Amino acid sequence: MAKTIYVLNGPNLNLLGTREPGIYGRETLADVEALCRKTAKAHGLDVEFRQSNLEGEIVDAIQEAMARKAAGIVINPAGYTTTSVAILDALLASSLPAIEIHISNIYAREDFRQHSLVSKAAKAVMSGFGINGYALAINGLAAMINQSKT
Ligand code: CA2
């Protein structure tokens, strides 16, 4: 049976493609999902793709990934990046390899965006590649998953 990775998206990412195209591009969240599925398929991985505006639902999704023995997590915590001890704790508790991804380069933006709590539980962080960062994150995660098999 194919392994599954979870791709989790935080608050307001459902608005992708409809607002602030100068920062986040013109692609929609449906485009991101299609890109993730195509990239994961090339590695023989299934994708569980979620977006939520609610912190607790993101925590629940991380616990679900753990309970279902998912192979790893790609997460764009969006506005919860710098505030959510709950998401950090869920990722730490899961022990799953997690890649944090940001569409924009958070280090070229306001100071308050640059102090990620989630990074403390992440194997790697991707920031500033636009939505292609999701594909890069999945490629990197797939390499980690394969490495841990050997
Ligand atoms: O660059 C990213 O991916 C962010 O995680 C996006 C978050 C922001 O709070 C982080 O600092 C960086 C914001 C997501 C909101 O997404 C929107 C998309 C389109 C229009 C408006 C908001």
Side-chain angles (χ1 to χ4, degrees), residues 12-19 24 27-29 32 103 131:
N12 296 307
L13 286 165
N14 54 314
L15 299 177
L16 268 185
T18 67
R19 304 263 194 292
Y24 299 115
E27 293 100 337
T28 64
L29 194 64
V32 175
I103 296 167
I131 72 159

Side-chain angles (χ1 to χ4, degrees), residues 8 20 26 34 38 47 53 55 58 62 73 84 88 100 102 107 110-112 115 130 137-138 149:
L8 305 179
E20 303 190 69
R26 295 199 179 276
K38 183 176 136 202
V47 173
N53 293 327
E55 187 176 23
I58 298 168
I62 294 166
I73 295 174
S84 183
L88 169 64
E100 178 181 345
H102 299 282
Y107 301 103
E110 302 96 323
D111 285 353
F112 69 84
H115 304 286
I138 290 171
K149 272 197 307 210

Side-chain angles (χ1 to χ4, degrees), residues 15-61:
L15 299 177
L16 268 185
T18 67
R19 304 263 194 292
E20 303 190 69
I23 299 174
Y24 299 115
R26 295 199 179 276
E27 293 100 337
T28 64
L29 194 64
D31 296 325
V32 175
E33 180 171 358
L35 175 64
C36 288
R37 291 195 185 284
K38 183 176 136 202
T39 308
K41 195 173 173 190
H43 297 285
L45 295 167
D46 287 339
V47 173
E48 197 62 57
F49 191 91
R50 306 274 175 83
Q51 186 276 330
S52 178
N53 293 327
L54 304 178
E55 187 176 23
E57 283 190 358
I58 298 168
V59 170
D60 283 346

